[in-house]
Amino acid sequence: DPSKYTLSEYMGFASYWKLQTSAFVTNWYESEYNFEDIRDFTPEEDYIESIVNWAIDTYNLNIKDFDIDNNGVIDSIIILHTGETHRYDSYVQASWAGAVRWTFHDQTKDENYNYNIDISNPRFVNAITSSISFMYNEVENYNVENSTALTLIHEFAHNFGIVDYYSSDTNDVLGGYDMQTSNVGDWNSFSKFAVGWIEPTIINKDDFTNSNTFSYTLEEFVENGDVLLIPSKNIDYNGSPFDEYIMVELFTPKKLHEFDSVSYGLNDTIGIRIYHVNATMRLVENYYYDYGDHAYSSAKSNDYGAQIIELIQKGKVNEFQDDDYSNNRLSSEDFFYVGDSFDVSEYDEFF
């Protein structure tokens, strides 16, 4: 049951143990604000900085110990608070779980849009905030047996720049089956490629024989991250995760899929998942998911281009974009199996 994984355990499995997480946990911090003062706002930079400074002073911390890769940025800050989870009179911004990112307001950029960072004094770029009620499967049932880290695991991915793969106007492009959509299952192949956990096998024209065929045996993705990457024929692929291509992976209901696959009816499914990825970088100012000054979109209908990732459904109809939410759930019919074929020209709804 993934709801019983710790953050460290989940990230270990998802990264094939390339990522090992540890944390320093403080006692409760008593804010100078009342909840009603900030209930409709996301945490401001100065407020987060005051909490960080309090922790440094209270526990005599060396902030450089929290910058393991020595890049001048604090690796991660997680703030759990006791704010209410639900208020029936209005939406309460401060109580919900989320990740907030800030740019360095007092640092300039060079000609390549890189921040000039002082590695001797690491700063924070983002923080994860969540009501402690999200750490339990049932509201107001605050006991260890009822605890879960799933929301924290989901939000923790934003530390890496991984976005949510859903939006209010395009529903869920992965059929609701991904840690960054519905807090279920494993990370998808694009997410793992983007953070350097896997190295896809890139298929080029030179790999094909004179008969225009190519043979490759896919191993189970959940076991070792084996995945095929087929660049778009209309581009000169740049070799990075941030371009346009197709990814092909073999799904098996094991490890991080073992529990959640049951509720989706996938516990007996062994099949191929095919994704269209368009993570082409664009220079964008003041966009919600802003990495430096570059952003890639999470919604097909917005002004910034195509969906960053989309699961290609074998039935050739993009039901995940349907207004009927009953169609927006991944099923075994969306996978490719022995004897199936895939031709881009027949799947134009996904491109």
mmCIF file with all atom_site columns, all heavy atoms in Angstrom, residues 255-269:
data_model
loop_
_atom_site.group_PDB
_atom_site.id
_atom_site.type_symbol
_atom_site.label_atom_id
_atom_site.label_alt_id
_atom_site.label_comp_id
_atom_site.label_asym_id
_atom_site.label_entity_id
_atom_site.label_seq_id
_atom_site.pdbx_PDB_ins_code
_atom_site.Cartn_x
_atom_site.Cartn_y
_atom_site.Cartn_z
_atom_site.occupancy
_atom_site.B_iso_or_equiv
_atom_site.pdbx_formal_charge
_atom_site.auth_seq_id
_atom_site.auth_comp_id
_atom_site.auth_asym_id
_atom_site.auth_atom_id
_atom_site.pdbx_PDB_model_num
ATOM 1   N N   . LYS A 1 255 ? 5.557  -3.401  -7.538  1.00 0.00 ? 255 LYS A N   1
ATOM 2   C CA  . LYS A 1 255 ? 6.176  -2.363  -6.708  1.00 0.00 ? 255 LYS A CA  1
ATOM 3   C C   . LYS A 1 255 ? 5.225  -1.190  -6.501  1.00 0.00 ? 255 LYS A C   1
ATOM 4   O O   . LYS A 1 255 ? 4.172  -1.345  -5.898  1.00 0.00 ? 255 LYS A O   1
ATOM 5   C CB  . LYS A 1 255 ? 7.519  -1.939  -7.316  1.00 0.00 ? 255 LYS A CB  1
ATOM 6   C CG  . LYS A 1 255 ? 8.547  -3.060  -7.277  1.00 0.00 ? 255 LYS A CG  1
ATOM 7   C CD  . LYS A 1 255 ? 9.930  -2.618  -7.717  1.00 0.00 ? 255 LYS A CD  1
ATOM 8   C CE  . LYS A 1 255 ? 10.926 -3.758  -7.527  1.00 0.00 ? 255 LYS A CE  1
ATOM 9   N NZ  . LYS A 1 255 ? 12.284 -3.402  -7.967  1.00 0.00 ? 255 LYS A NZ  1
ATOM 10  N N   . LEU A 1 256 ? 5.541  0.001   -6.993  1.00 0.00 ? 256 LEU A N   1
ATOM 11  C CA  . LEU A 1 256 ? 4.708  1.170   -6.736  1.00 0.00 ? 256 LEU A CA  1
ATOM 12  C C   . LEU A 1 256 ? 3.347  1.080   -7.425  1.00 0.00 ? 256 LEU A C   1
ATOM 13  O O   . LEU A 1 256 ? 2.455  1.891   -7.143  1.00 0.00 ? 256 LEU A O   1
ATOM 14  C CB  . LEU A 1 256 ? 5.428  2.442   -7.180  1.00 0.00 ? 256 LEU A CB  1
ATOM 15  C CG  . LEU A 1 256 ? 6.705  2.788   -6.408  1.00 0.00 ? 256 LEU A CG  1
ATOM 16  C CD1 . LEU A 1 256 ? 7.343  4.060   -6.939  1.00 0.00 ? 256 LEU A CD1 1
ATOM 17  C CD2 . LEU A 1 256 ? 6.423  2.923   -4.910  1.00 0.00 ? 256 LEU A CD2 1
ATOM 18  N N   . HIS A 1 257 ? 3.175  0.109   -8.323  1.00 0.00 ? 257 HIS A N   1
ATOM 19  C CA  . HIS A 1 257 ? 1.876  -0.100  -8.983  1.00 0.00 ? 257 HIS A CA  1
ATOM 20  C C   . HIS A 1 257 ? 1.053  -1.204  -8.321  1.00 0.00 ? 257 HIS A C   1
ATOM 21  O O   . HIS A 1 257 ? -0.132 -1.351  -8.635  1.00 0.00 ? 257 HIS A O   1
ATOM 22  C CB  . HIS A 1 257 ? 2.086  -0.474  -10.456 1.00 0.00 ? 257 HIS A CB  1
ATOM 23  C CG  . HIS A 1 257 ? 2.679  0.603   -11.287 1.00 0.00 ? 257 HIS A CG  1
ATOM 24  N ND1 . HIS A 1 257 ? 2.116  1.856   -11.390 1.00 0.00 ? 257 HIS A ND1 1
ATOM 25  C CD2 . HIS A 1 257 ? 3.791  0.616   -12.072 1.00 0.00 ? 257 HIS A CD2 1
ATOM 26  C CE1 . HIS A 1 257 ? 2.868  2.603   -12.206 1.00 0.00 ? 257 HIS A CE1 1
ATOM 27  N NE2 . HIS A 1 257 ? 3.882  1.879   -12.613 1.00 0.00 ? 257 HIS A NE2 1
ATOM 28  N N   . GLU A 1 258 ? 1.659  -1.982  -7.464  1.00 0.00 ? 258 GLU A N   1
ATOM 29  C CA  . GLU A 1 258 ? 1.010  -3.197  -6.977  1.00 0.00 ? 258 GLU A CA  1
ATOM 30  C C   . GLU A 1 258 ? -0.325 -2.919  -6.296  1.00 0.00 ? 258 GLU A C   1
ATOM 31  O O   . GLU A 1 258 ? -1.310 -3.626  -6.522  1.00 0.00 ? 258 GLU A O   1
ATOM 32  C CB  . GLU A 1 258 ? 1.947  -3.932  -6.015  1.00 0.00 ? 258 GLU A CB  1
ATOM 33  C CG  . GLU A 1 258 ? 1.392  -5.261  -5.542  1.00 0.00 ? 258 GLU A CG  1
ATOM 34  C CD  . GLU A 1 258 ? 2.391  -6.042  -4.704  1.00 0.00 ? 258 GLU A CD  1
ATOM 35  O OE1 . GLU A 1 258 ? 3.517  -5.541  -4.490  1.00 0.00 ? 258 GLU A OE1 1
ATOM 36  O OE2 . GLU A 1 258 ? 2.042  -7.145  -4.262  1.00 0.00 ? 258 GLU A OE2 1
ATOM 37  N N   . PHE A 1 259 ? -0.393 -1.882  -5.483  1.00 0.00 ? 259 PHE A N   1
ATOM 38  C CA  . PHE A 1 259 ? -1.620 -1.573  -4.745  1.00 0.00 ? 259 PHE A CA  1
ATOM 39  C C   . PHE A 1 259 ? -2.614 -0.803  -5.602  1.00 0.00 ? 259 PHE A C   1
ATOM 40  O O   . PHE A 1 259 ? -3.773 -1.196  -5.742  1.00 0.00 ? 259 PHE A O   1
ATOM 41  C CB  . PHE A 1 259 ? -1.275 -0.783  -3.482  1.00 0.00 ? 259 PHE A CB  1
ATOM 42  C CG  . PHE A 1 259 ? -2.483 -0.412  -2.660  1.00 0.00 ? 259 PHE A CG  1
ATOM 43  C CD1 . PHE A 1 259 ? -3.043 -1.324  -1.787  1.00 0.00 ? 259 PHE A CD1 1
ATOM 44  C CD2 . PHE A 1 259 ? -3.049 0.847   -2.761  1.00 0.00 ? 259 PHE A CD2 1
ATOM 45  C CE1 . PHE A 1 259 ? -4.164 -0.990  -1.023  1.00 0.00 ? 259 PHE A CE1 1
ATOM 46  C CE2 . PHE A 1 259 ? -4.162 1.190   -2.006  1.00 0.00 ? 259 PHE A CE2 1
ATOM 47  C CZ  . PHE A 1 259 ? -4.719 0.266   -1.137  1.00 0.00 ? 259 PHE A CZ  1
ATOM 48  N N   . ASP A 1 260 ? -2.190 0.303   -6.211  1.00 0.00 ? 260 ASP A N   1
ATOM 49  C CA  . ASP A 1 260 ? -3.112 1.173   -6.938  1.00 0.00 ? 260 ASP A CA  1
ATOM 50  C C   . ASP A 1 260 ? -3.649 0.530   -8.207  1.00 0.00 ? 260 ASP A C   1
ATOM 51  O O   . ASP A 1 260 ? -4.748 0.883   -8.672  1.00 0.00 ? 260 ASP A O   1
ATOM 52  C CB  . ASP A 1 260 ? -2.426 2.497   -7.287  1.00 0.00 ? 260 ASP A CB  1
ATOM 53  C CG  . ASP A 1 260 ? -2.158 3.349   -6.058  1.00 0.00 ? 260 ASP A CG  1
ATOM 54  O OD1 . ASP A 1 260 ? -3.040 3.404   -5.185  1.00 0.00 ? 260 ASP A OD1 1
ATOM 55  O OD2 . ASP A 1 260 ? -1.073 3.936   -5.963  1.00 0.00 ? 260 ASP A OD2 1
ATOM 56  N N   . SER A 1 261 ? -2.911 -0.394  -8.799  1.00 0.00 ? 261 SER A N   1
ATOM 57  C CA  . SER A 1 261 ? -3.384 -1.038  -10.023 1.00 0.00 ? 261 SER A CA  1
ATOM 58  C C   . SER A 1 261 ? -4.682 -1.806  -9.791  1.00 0.00 ? 261 SER A C   1
ATOM 59  O O   . SER A 1 261 ? -5.497 -1.964  -10.706 1.00 0.00 ? 261 SER A O   1
ATOM 60  C CB  . SER A 1 261 ? -2.312 -1.985  -10.574 1.00 0.00 ? 261 SER A CB  1
ATOM 61  O OG  . SER A 1 261 ? -2.034 -3.036  -9.653  1.00 0.00 ? 261 SER A OG  1
ATOM 62  N N   . VAL A 1 262 ? -4.914 -2.254  -8.565  1.00 0.00 ? 262 VAL A N   1
ATOM 63  C CA  . VAL A 1 262 ? -6.118 -3.031  -8.263  1.00 0.00 ? 262 VAL A CA  1
ATOM 64  C C   . VAL A 1 262 ? -7.372 -2.184  -8.435  1.00 0.00 ? 262 VAL A C   1
ATOM 65  O O   . VAL A 1 262 ? -8.338 -2.589  -9.081  1.00 0.00 ? 262 VAL A O   1
ATOM 66  C CB  . VAL A 1 262 ? -6.047 -3.600  -6.826  1.00 0.00 ? 262 VAL A CB  1
ATOM 67  C CG1 . VAL A 1 262 ? -7.346 -4.318  -6.473  1.00 0.00 ? 262 VAL A CG1 1
ATOM 68  C CG2 . VAL A 1 262 ? -4.873 -4.549  -6.691  1.00 0.00 ? 262 VAL A CG2 1
ATOM 69  N N   . SER A 1 263 ? -7.373 -0.969  -7.874  1.00 0.00 ? 263 SER A N   1
ATOM 70  C CA  . SER A 1 263 ? -8.566 -0.122  -7.943  1.00 0.00 ? 263 SER A CA  1
ATOM 71  C C   . SER A 1 263 ? -8.834 0.378   -9.361  1.00 0.00 ? 263 SER A C   1
ATOM 72  O O   . SER A 1 263 ? -9.954 0.774   -9.676  1.00 0.00 ? 263 SER A O   1
ATOM 73  C CB  . SER A 1 263 ? -8.421 1.071   -6.989  1.00 0.00 ? 263 SER A CB  1
ATOM 74  O OG  . SER A 1 263 ? -7.317 1.883   -7.349  1.00 0.00 ? 263 SER A OG  1
ATOM 75  N N   . TYR A 1 264 ? -7.825 0.328   -10.232 1.00 0.00 ? 264 TYR A N   1
ATOM 76  C CA  . TYR A 1 264 ? -8.013 0.722   -11.631 1.00 0.00 ? 264 TYR A CA  1
ATOM 77  C C   . TYR A 1 264 ? -8.254 -0.496  -12.529 1.00 0.00 ? 264 TYR A C   1
ATOM 78  O O   . TYR A 1 264 ? -8.353 -0.348  -13.746 1.00 0.00 ? 264 TYR A O   1
ATOM 79  C CB  . TYR A 1 264 ? -6.785 1.484   -12.134 1.00 0.00 ? 264 TYR A CB  1
ATOM 80  C CG  . TYR A 1 264 ? -6.743 2.931   -11.708 1.00 0.00 ? 264 TYR A CG  1
ATOM 81  C CD1 . TYR A 1 264 ? -6.439 3.283   -10.401 1.00 0.00 ? 264 TYR A CD1 1
ATOM 82  C CD2 . TYR A 1 264 ? -7.007 3.957   -12.616 1.00 0.00 ? 264 TYR A CD2 1
ATOM 83  C CE1 . TYR A 1 264 ? -6.392 4.610   -10.000 1.00 0.00 ? 264 TYR A CE1 1
ATOM 84  C CE2 . TYR A 1 264 ? -6.965 5.282   -12.233 1.00 0.00 ? 264 TYR A CE2 1
ATOM 85  C CZ  . TYR A 1 264 ? -6.664 5.600   -10.917 1.00 0.00 ? 264 TYR A CZ  1
ATOM 86  O OH  . TYR A 1 264 ? -6.628 6.927   -10.538 1.00 0.00 ? 264 TYR A OH  1
ATOM 87  N N   . GLY A 1 265 ? -8.326 -1.675  -11.940 1.00 0.00 ? 265 GLY A N   1
ATOM 88  C CA  . GLY A 1 265 ? -8.525 -2.878  -12.722 1.00 0.00 ? 265 GLY A CA  1
ATOM 89  C C   . GLY A 1 265 ? -7.329 -3.250  -13.571 1.00 0.00 ? 265 GLY A C   1
ATOM 90  O O   . GLY A 1 265 ? -7.469 -3.898  -14.616 1.00 0.00 ? 265 GLY A O   1
ATOM 91  N N   . LEU A 1 266 ? -6.131 -2.878  -13.128 1.00 0.00 ? 266 LEU A N   1
ATOM 92  C CA  . LEU A 1 266 ? -4.915 -3.106  -13.904 1.00 0.00 ? 266 LEU A CA  1
ATOM 93  C C   . LEU A 1 266 ? -4.005 -4.148  -13.256 1.00 0.00 ? 266 LEU A C   1
ATOM 94  O O   . LEU A 1 266 ? -2.871 -4.325  -13.701 1.00 0.00 ? 266 LEU A O   1
ATOM 95  C CB  . LEU A 1 266 ? -4.139 -1.790  -14.060 1.00 0.00 ? 266 LEU A CB  1
ATOM 96  C CG  . LEU A 1 266 ? -4.889 -0.611  -14.677 1.00 0.00 ? 266 LEU A CG  1
ATOM 97  C CD1 . LEU A 1 266 ? -4.021 0.644   -14.647 1.00 0.00 ? 266 LEU A CD1 1
ATOM 98  C CD2 . LEU A 1 266 ? -5.313 -0.920  -16.103 1.00 0.00 ? 266 LEU A CD2 1
ATOM 99  N N   . ASN A 1 267 ? -4.495 -4.815  -12.226 1.00 0.00 ? 267 ASN A N   1
ATOM 100 C CA  . ASN A 1 267 ? -3.638 -5.731  -11.477 1.00 0.00 ? 267 ASN A CA  1
ATOM 101 C C   . ASN A 1 267 ? -3.225 -6.961  -12.276 1.00 0.00 ? 267 ASN A C   1
ATOM 102 O O   . ASN A 1 267 ? -2.270 -7.646  -11.903 1.00 0.00 ? 267 ASN A O   1
ATOM 103 C CB  . ASN A 1 267 ? -4.323 -6.159  -10.180 1.00 0.00 ? 267 ASN A CB  1
ATOM 104 C CG  . ASN A 1 267 ? -5.759 -6.586  -10.372 1.00 0.00 ? 267 ASN A CG  1
ATOM 105 O OD1 . ASN A 1 267 ? -6.562 -5.820  -10.903 1.00 0.00 ? 267 ASN A OD1 1
ATOM 106 N ND2 . ASN A 1 267 ? -6.101 -7.787  -9.929  1.00 0.00 ? 267 ASN A ND2 1
ATOM 107 N N   . ASP A 1 268 ? -3.900 -7.248  -13.403 1.00 0.00 ? 268 ASP A N   1
ATOM 108 C CA  . ASP A 1 268 ? -3.499 -8.340  -14.291 1.00 0.00 ? 268 ASP A CA  1
ATOM 109 C C   . ASP A 1 268 ? -2.970 -7.820  -15.629 1.00 0.00 ? 268 ASP A C   1
ATOM 110 O O   . ASP A 1 268 ? -2.777 -8.608  -16.566 1.00 0.00 ? 268 ASP A O   1
ATOM 111 C CB  . ASP A 1 268 ? -4.681 -9.287  -14.547 1.00 0.00 ? 268 ASP A CB  1
ATOM 112 C CG  . ASP A 1 268 ? -5.113 -10.029 -13.292 1.00 0.00 ? 268 ASP A CG  1
ATOM 113 O OD1 . ASP A 1 268 ? -4.217 -10.417 -12.514 1.00 0.00 ? 268 ASP A OD1 1
ATOM 114 O OD2 . ASP A 1 268 ? -6.330 -10.211 -13.086 1.00 0.00 ? 268 ASP A OD2 1
ATOM 115 N N   . THR A 1 269 ? -2.756 -6.527  -15.711 1.00 0.00 ? 269 THR A N   1
ATOM 116 C CA  . THR A 1 269 ? -2.355 -5.902  -16.983 1.00 0.00 ? 269 THR A CA  1
ATOM 117 C C   . THR A 1 269 ? -0.842 -5.893  -17.150 1.00 0.00 ? 269 THR A C   1
ATOM 118 O O   . THR A 1 269 ? -0.117 -5.404  -16.286 1.00 0.00 ? 269 THR A O   1
ATOM 119 C CB  . THR A 1 269 ? -2.886 -4.459  -17.066 1.00 0.00 ? 269 THR A CB  1
ATOM 120 O OG1 . THR A 1 269 ? -4.318 -4.480  -17.039 1.00 0.00 ? 269 THR A OG1 1
ATOM 121 C CG2 . THR A 1 269 ? -2.407 -3.780  -18.346 1.00 0.00 ? 269 THR A CG2 1
#
